[in-house]
Amino acid sequence: MPADPYAWLMSSPGPSSPPPTRSTRRRAPSAAAASNAGGPLPADVLFDVLLRLPAKELCRLRAVCRAWRSLTADPLFAGAHAARHRGPCPSLLAKFRDDEARIHVVDLRGGVLKRMACPGDGHELLCTRLDLACVASKDNSCRVLNPATGAAYALPESPAPEHAGRENSRDPYTFFASGRVAATGECKVLRVFNRTEFDAFDQQQLFEVFTINGGAGGAQWRARESHYLFLEAHNAAVVGGVVYFLTDCAYDLMLFFGVNTGVHPDCIASFDLETEEWRRDIQGPISSSLSMDDANATEEYRSIWHKLTLSELKGSLVLAYHRRHQSLDLWFLTDFENGLWAKEYSIRTEAAIPADEYFVKPLLVSDDGRLVILLASTGILLIYDPSTNTFTEVEMGRLDAVGIYTGNLLTLQGGDMV
């Protein structure tokens, strides 16, 4: 077995070279091959012409001839194209409700760029911001796909040795989160064995970490310390290699029965994937502005539990609050150590988002300032333009889940190219 059994999964023909000069273009083997294929254009001219085209059009033009396919897939060309076409239209990974068997790479116009088989039944696409796709089921199956190569790998289901025999792992109810450690480039997966019963307050959530591209033969999950609070594992966000969690709505249920635990709905825990340790908890900006002195305030306070989501926008942790009177407030964490937040958006949503929408998740801010928002209960993707204060629905099928694809489209190969 090789020292790194996951290297084949992580390997990608993605660009690693800086944008080429004319002299380096002439030396590119793929460009030379294009010139020798009988085409009328010199290699460097063909390079310049194709470099101007959008990635989706280039993927179609690969069918013209083998030499063009070789050129457009070459890392030198892909790196130059990525540098030239940095812009407001990143790609998404999407799983549609009417197509459970496949994962799609799509653009913000709803156009499908590639389709890949989704391994395993009942697997949901994790909301990641990676050049990989992660799919997982609640019964402890997690698989990682590389859209660039078509490779797929099933993570081990066996628990860490320290957790063997624990009730959570014998009858698993699991959630997963995945992110990349900036300092090392390693991609790690965090697994949460949840409580097997909703009211089992005597059970701990169990946390484990797996390194995809840094393990040796026989790599396994590593047990990590449990958090003292119950965490909402399915409502997490990964920012800069740190996984952030909101507290579990079980505390809302306890408040309903008159038990005030002192746990706030916008209390946020964080797990550092690099050190594999918990950081200190921080308080969000929402609950501190509410009083618990009367019944109406208590009801409003309780409603917060079901109106909050965590996201990563512009490299920052964002707490989104879809208020009952139909507005969407986005709070950006500006200073973790001091727990400081800044409200950068307060968007009126009456005409676009139903008042009872319980999971409104911002996905990204494009380079031109538009905000992409997922309405999880209906599977609709909206684009909000702050310059006109308008919403536009992306014309695509109803979404089961969506994430951000950070890979280069020109490196996509295999699967069903569209």
Side-chain angles (χ1 to χ4, degrees), residues 132-156:
L132 301 171
C134 298
V135 295
S137 68
K138 292 182 179 179
D139 59 358
N140 196 28
S141 174
C142 183
R143 306 187 184 190
V144 181
L145 295 78
N146 188 336
T149 64
Y153 178 73
L155 273 61

Side-chain angles (χ1 to χ4, degrees), residues 13-32:
S16 56
S17 305
T21 62
R22 276 188 174 270
S23 61
T24 59
R25 292 174 198 165
R26 291 192 181 98
R27 294 196 298 269
S30 51

Side-chain angles (χ1 to χ4, degrees), residues 31-53:
S35 179
N36 295 332
L41 296 177
D44 58 341
V45 176
L46 178 62
F47 193 108
D48 283 335
V49 170
L50 295 182
L51 196 63
R52 299 171 185 272
L53 299 178

